[in-house]
Amino acid sequence: KIRCEPRSVSLKVGQSTTVGIVVDNVNDLYSIPLLLQYNPAVVSIEDIQHGGFLSGGTQEIAIVSRVDKEHGQAIISATRQPNTPGVNGSGTLMGIVVKGIAPGSSNLSIVQVNAKDSQQKPIPMVSSEATVQVQP
């Protein structure tokens, strides 16, 4: 499973918060590219932070992100170093820094996940979404 934590966030215009992208009970997770969708009229994605889980505590991991603010999409990929095993268990993959830009409501939806293990085999994941409420 992959999910947003917390599931629901309330912000004022101009305020930022971090929403964690969390995986549950994964085996041999090596790389995880995902597509995040949001309402660009209500929120913007300011930054992507390392969550620590994929690094297994010791590894440098590569996070590559491309945020399309016009269409409200972020393509984010986190990958472990070549020739290292994947990681097992549950934890925070990354933090998405979200800023409220106008009053309203936006889903933060993980719409596509192409998780792979260290053998480059796909790992099926069920994803969920979070809701961001922005107050004036």
Side-chain angles (χ1 to χ4, degrees):
K1 248 175 42 170
I2 185 165
R3 59 191 167 82
C4 297
E5 191 64 48
R7 297 283 301 272
S8 157
V9 181
S10 185
L11 290 174
K12 290 197 178 339
V13 171
Q15 230 183 3
S16 296
T17 190
T18 303
V19 176
I21 304 290
V22 178
V23 288
D24 292 322
N25 302 323
V26 64
N27 283 316
D28 194 24
L29 179 64
Y30 177 79
S31 74
I32 180 154
L34 51 90
L35 175 60
L36 204 60
Q37 280 185 336
Y38 61 96
N39 181 346
V42 178
V43 295
S44 73
I45 289 181
E46 299 293 301
D47 194 19
I48 313 294
Q49 299 169 337
H50 284 251
F53 174 67
L54 202 60
S55 67
T58 55
Q59 289 283 328
E60 277 297 307
I61 63 165
I63 289 188
V64 180
S65 62
R66 199 169 62 77
V67 178
D68 179 342
K69 292 196 174 191
E70 199 184 331
H71 295 100
Q73 293 190 332
I75 297 166
I76 307 160
S77 173
T79 309
R80 286 175 60 79
Q81 293 292 321
N83 307 315
T84 58
V87 287
N88 301 324
S90 304
T92 303
L93 281 175
M94 60 191 84
I96 311 292
V97 180
V98 182
K99 181 178 176 182
I101 53 173
S105 174
S106 171
N107 284 340
L108 210 54
S109 307
I110 305 165
V111 288
Q112 216 175 337
V113 182
N114 296 317
K116 298 259 194 322
D117 66 14
S118 57
Q119 308 301 310
Q120 295 304 308
K121 293 194 182 79
I123 300 173
M125 292 229 178
V126 178
S127 65
S128 66
E129 60 188 27
T131 308
V132 182
Q133 295 283 348
V134 179
Q135 314 292 339

